[in-house]
Amino acid sequence: MRKTLIALMFAAALPTVAMAMPQDGGPMGGPMDGARHGGQMHGMHGKGPYSQLDLSREQREQIRKIMGEQMHERKQVVDKYLEKLSPADQKALKDEMAANHKKAESDVRAVLKPDQQKKFDEIQKKQAERRAEWAEFKAWKAQQPQKAQ
């Protein structure tokens, strides 16, 4: 049980680490598709682990897809093991993960200059709004009758 809990906490912490990574080019560190994002760069600036590979646009997209699938699969694994915990352990784990995430955000914000903090706060607000909209959509979808295929 203890090993499972430790492994689950480690797996659950990985998305927090991923959020701290530069978001200017996804996992590749290359430029984002400016047409999709109005020519603006989102997230923090920096070089990703694939920036030295001189990847083509197709390669960046393929790697971005692979990394997205891997993140999704990791979440499924975490959810699978989370379901095996008692409700009290589930709540404790979720609370600890939320606290760690909040601390990481606070630590990142402390590193930023005042103008960057303002932009960071705007980004955080937009993300919170998107999460609320997504939760609302999922709740709505759960209430919809399942159509026979």
Side-chain angles (χ1 to χ4, degrees), residues 32-76:
M32 290 292 278
D33 184 359
R36 282 191 310 208
H37 300 288
Q40 296 178 353
M41 300 300 260
H42 295 291
M44 295 181 271
H45 300 286
K47 299 268 184 202
Y50 301 100
S51 64
Q52 298 174 7
L53 298 178
D54 194 29
L55 299 172
S56 70
R57 181 184 207 119
E58 288 177 12
Q59 289 173 313
R60 286 193 309 267
E61 288 299 320
Q62 289 172 343
I63 293 172
R64 188 173 291 126
K65 182 180 177 188
I66 291 167
M67 297 303 282
E69 290 171 355
Q70 189 264 340
M71 282 178 42
H72 179 71
E73 290 169 1
R74 181 174 48 226
K75 183 183 180 325
Q76 288 179 327

Side-chain angles (χ1 to χ4, degrees), residues 41-130:
M41 300 300 260
H42 295 291
M44 295 181 271
H45 300 286
K47 299 268 184 202
Y50 301 100
S51 64
Q52 298 174 7
L53 298 178
D54 194 29
L55 299 172
S56 70
R57 181 184 207 119
E58 288 177 12
Q59 289 173 313
R60 286 193 309 267
E61 288 299 320
Q62 289 172 343
I63 293 172
R64 188 173 291 126
K65 182 180 177 188
I66 291 167
M67 297 303 282
E69 290 171 355
Q70 189 264 340
M71 282 178 42
H72 179 71
E73 290 169 1
R74 181 174 48 226
K75 183 183 180 325
Q76 288 179 327
V77 169
V78 168
D79 290 344
K80 179 174 82 173
Y81 286 100
L82 187 61
E83 290 172 1
K84 294 181 181 186
L85 296 175
S86 70
D89 285 341
Q90 287 181 14
K91 181 174 179 356
L93 179 62
K94 287 180 180 180
D95 290 347
E96 186 173 340
M97 287 171 48
N100 289 345
H101 181 80
K102 196 85 162 158
K103 182 185 180 314
E105 285 180 349
S106 177
D107 291 347
V108 167
R109 189 177 188 282
V111 171
L112 303 175
K113 297 175 186 173
D115 58 323
Q116 293 171 322
Q117 288 178 348
K118 183 177 177 182
K119 180 72 173 174
F120 180 80
D121 293 342
E122 291 172 11
I123 292 168
Q124 294 300 98
K125 182 179 177 186
K126 287 179 184 177
Q127 287 178 339
E129 290 170 359
R130 280 190 225 122

